[in-house]
Amino acid sequence: MTEDIKVPTMAEMLAEGKQPEVLFWVGCAGSFDDRAKKITKAFVKILNRANISFAVLGTEESCTGDPAKRAGNEFLFQMQAMMNIEVLNAYEAKKIVTACPHCFNTLKNEYPELGGKYEVVHHTQYLKSLLDEGRLTIEGGQFKGKRITFHDPCYLGRANNIYEAPRDLIRKLDAELVEMKRSRTNGLCCGAGGAQMFKEPEPGFKDINVERTEEALSLEPKIIAAGCPFCNTMLTDGVKSKEKESDVKVMDVAELIANAQDL
């Protein structure tokens, strides 16, 4: 992290006898992937600007176990989950926000039966709630009038029925939101879920991320907006394969808000 953004850990908060309003679950992509780190920074800048009391687990955070579970290794998943639950329960975490729909889905839907019961929200939901409460203001800035299409992440949309929060945020930027043919409940997967992110696709006539990118590019958007670091990678690769990276950007919703306000 750069010097200009402050990111307290739960351990530091506890040492000061404080309990943050939210625990920001960064996730493996947001911690280690260079592209996804930019999403993490953008979200943290927004939290700081809105004066939100938050903390991260830092080195105490481990993978939620989503890739292991989706790849069929239930034993490894439960080991990873139990470690995280012990840490979260020790800190008495109540509300968790994360920018990764895979972490979101796992923490929200898989952890309760293992003893990890928390209020879990996706970062687009959280930003929308801050907006509704008047704790965050969004200006169109550089995105005013720009054509933006939003790709629904599988674990945000179909798995958890969250479609409107990211779209509401994009509309607040005074952008022109254009919908792909396959969107919302009929959205098309980017191809990264189910641990597919970490392997080459099976032979076929076209990679699924290229199919999805073509659908987005047919709308001639300036920006393809995403709400998931995996989707971001797959769509970025798709845009590169079409040699359109100088014309079309792939950005997370948090980056749109942070950049619009020049945070």
Side-chain angles (χ1 to χ4, degrees):
M1 290 289 174
T2 50
E3 291 72 35
D4 61 329
I5 46 182
K6 46 184 198 297
V7 186
T9 64
M10 288 295 277
E12 288 165 359
M13 286 285 227
L14 185 68
E16 293 173 20
K18 292 178 186 165
Q19 181 74 3
E21 193 178 325
V22 287
L23 166 63
F24 172 30
W25 185 276
V26 183
C28 299
S31 300
F32 301 113
D33 178 79
D34 284 343
R35 174 65 188 87
K37 282 180 196 172
K38 293 176 181 172
I39 300 169
T40 303
K41 288 177 183 176
F43 185 57
V44 165
K45 284 177 181 175
I46 298 167
L47 292 178
N48 281 332
R49 170 141 180 181
N51 289 321
I52 304 300
S53 162
F54 77 98
V56 298
L57 286 175
T59 54
E60 292 185 277
E61 182 186 296
S62 174
C63 178
T64 59
D66 167 79
K69 188 177 182 74
R70 305 299 159 216
N73 194 336
E74 181 67 23
F75 177 67
L76 177 57
F77 161 70
Q78 293 209 9
M79 275 173 54
Q80 290 179 302
M82 294 307 289
M83 271 175 23
N84 284 322
I85 289 167
E86 269 187 38
V87 172
L88 289 167
N89 288 351
Y91 283 121
E92 297 179 356
K94 301 283 188 293
K95 187 168 186 171
I96 301 173
V97 61
T98 180
C100 175
H102 297 258
C103 298
F104 166 71
N105 180 70
T106 305
L107 292 164
K108 180 174 181 278
N109 300 320
E110 315 277 7
Y111 275 28
E113 64 185 81
L114 298 171
K117 296 182 174 68
Y118 321 103
E119 181 191 352
V120 187
V121 291
H122 185 250
H123 73 319
T124 57
Q125 288 179 295
Y126 189 64
L127 293 173
K128 174 76 169 65
S129 71
L130 293 180
L131 191 68
D132 292 345
E133 291 162 17
R135 301 173 73 182
L136 176 69
T137 54
I138 297 177
E139 297 115 36
Q142 58 174 302
F143 302 112
K144 199 169 180 154
K146 292 260 173 80
R147 274 172 81 82
I148 299 178
T149 189
F150 179 70
H151 163 78
D152 288 287
C154 296
Y155 277 110
L156 189 63
R158 288 194 300 273
N160 287 288
N161 214 28
I162 296 163
Y163 299 107
E164 299 313 319
R167 287 174 169 83
D168 287 345
L169 293 168
I170 292 167
R171 286 192 198 97
K172 286 286 180 197
L173 296 166
D174 295 329
E176 183 193 352
L177 180 63
V178 287
E179 294 287 358
M180 284 183 256
K181 248 198 342 256
R182 288 176 283 196
S183 64
R184 291 188 167 86
T185 52
N186 190 36
L188 180 70
C189 176
C190 73
Q196 299 295 306
M197 176 79 179
F198 308 106
K199 57 181 271 298
E200 288 301 312
E202 284 80 9
F205 70 92
K206 190 195 290 183
D207 287 358
I208 189 168
N209 65 314
V210 173
E211 168 81 9
R212 186 55 163 166
T213 304
E214 285 173 354
E215 197 171 331
L217 293 176
S218 71
L219 298 168
E220 298 185 348
K222 279 287 172 208
I223 294 157
I224 302 172
C228 169
F230 287 4
C231 296
N232 196 305
T233 297
M234 298 300 271
L235 293 167
T236 300
D237 287 351
V239 169
K240 279 180 186 160
S241 77
K242 294 289 167 189
E243 298 182 345
K244 290 280 187 188
E245 58 264 62
S246 57
D247 308 321
V248 182
K249 285 190 166 62
V250 180
M251 296 178 77
D252 188 87
V253 174
E255 291 180 303
L256 292 174
I257 294 168
N259 289 2
Q261 298 176 303
D262 293 322
L263 293 179

